[in-house]
């Protein structure tokens, strides 16, 4: 099987402009002016805190890109301490934890993001990866279904759902998931390779070779090398036709 990708969430900083209008000398208007000035001060304080949270968030993203996962988590923690309702920070914190193989902790982060924004594709997708890593395949499939329902054109979730289905020996469902991914992106070599694995696990030599050949057309060296040792092909590897394909 091919490896599963993580998606990193991103966020834009929103800038707001504040202003006050002048008033006359009536007591009512003076009272109103005081309230306005107080509100503006509070808004500026909140905007400054928001900016600081965004700075920590972007620092975390930079550290995540550099694979400095522990430091990235610390930066996201600082962002969340300022602005707890930040689904992107929770998601990327989860990705850093997943990268450290702290899958249960990562699930907590993804669930926090989902509680804030239930339709967040990246949270459901990455949650599925963590669950797959924990071998909780049924739960992983449920997460991928959620992700696909939110963004049906994201082939990555379809591929990863296929992997989880294969782990449960639901080969036909897995193949259907890979086919949906290929319908979105026809040169999706990962999907062809995984289809080949699913067919090989069913001892279907002809279709295993057909799909592996497709994958090899796109990335020859990678898939020839991988297929020589991938245990998914153990039932068909000794067959002459299969050996000829890997020459």
């Amino acid at each position: 099987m091919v490896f599963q990708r993580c998606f990193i969430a991103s966020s834009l900083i929103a800038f707001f402009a504040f202003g006050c209008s002048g008033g006359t000398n009536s007591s009512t208007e003076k009272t109103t002016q005081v309230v306005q000035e107080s509100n503006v001060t509070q808004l500026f304080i909140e905007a400054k805190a928001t900016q600081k949270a965004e700075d920590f968030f972007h620092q975390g993203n930079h550290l995540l890109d550099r694979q400095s996962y522990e430091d990235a988590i610390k930066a996201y923690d600082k962002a969340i301490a300022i602005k707890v309702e930040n689904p992107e920070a929770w998601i990327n914190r989860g990705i850093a934890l997943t990268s450290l193989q702290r899958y249960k902790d990562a699930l907590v982060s993804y669930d926090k993001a989902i509680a804030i924004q239930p339709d967040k594709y990246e949270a459901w997708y990455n949650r599925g990866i963590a669950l797959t890593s924990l071998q909780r395949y049924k739960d992983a499939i449920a997460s991928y279904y959620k992700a696909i329902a939110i963004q049906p054109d994201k082939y990555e979730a379809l591929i990863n759902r296929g992997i989880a289905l294969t782990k449960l020996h639901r080969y036909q469902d897995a193949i259907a998931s890979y086919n949906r991914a290929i319908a979105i992106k026809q040169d999706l070599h990962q999907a062809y390779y995984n289809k080949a694995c699913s067919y090989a696990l069913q001892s279907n030599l002809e279709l295993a070779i057909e799909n592996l050949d497709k994958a090899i057309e796109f990335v020859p060296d990678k898939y020839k090398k991988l297929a020589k040792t991938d245990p998914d092909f153990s039932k068909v590897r000794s067959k002459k036709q299969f050996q000829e394909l890997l020459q």
Side-chain angles (χ1 to χ4, degrees), residues 125-234:
Y125 173 84
N126 288 310
R127 185 175 185 270
I129 290 175
L131 288 163
T132 300
S133 299
L134 290 168
Q135 299 183 7
R136 292 171 54 183
Y137 302 121
K138 288 183 180 180
D139 293 332
I141 290 164
S143 277
Y144 291 133
Y145 268 110
K146 287 279 191 180
I148 293 161
I150 295 165
Q151 293 197 31
D153 62 339
K154 289 288 189 179
Y155 59 82
E156 294 90 348
L158 289 162
I159 290 176
N160 287 2
R161 184 179 70 178
I163 292 170
L165 287 163
T166 300
K167 294 293 185 180
L168 294 176
H169 308 290
R170 293 172 57 183
Y171 302 122
Q172 294 307 311
D173 291 334
I175 290 165
S177 202
Y178 299 138
N179 284 338
R180 279 188 59 184
I182 291 166
I184 295 167
K185 193 173 187 293
Q186 294 185 356
D187 62 347
L188 203 55
H189 49 87
Q190 301 95 327
Y192 283 113
Y193 182 83
N194 286 354
K195 276 182 69 180
C197 291
S198 293
Y199 282 121
L201 288 164
Q202 299 175 83
S203 301
N204 190 327
L205 177 63
E206 182 180 350
L207 290 177
I209 289 174
E210 179 183 318
N211 283 277
L212 181 57
D213 188 38
K214 282 277 190 180
I216 290 170
E217 283 180 20
F218 293 116
V219 192
D221 293 340
K222 175 181 178 179
Y223 291 118
K224 280 187 177 182
K225 182 178 179 181
L226 195 57
K228 288 178 180 178
T229 57
D230 193 330
D232 287 353
F233 293 108
S234 59

Side-chain angles (χ1 to χ4, degrees), residues 109-125:
S109 274
Y110 299 138
D111 287 343
K112 288 279 190 181
I114 290 165
I116 297 165
Q117 189 173 343
D119 63 346
K120 196 70 174 173
Y121 168 85
E122 295 89 349
W124 287 109
Y125 173 84

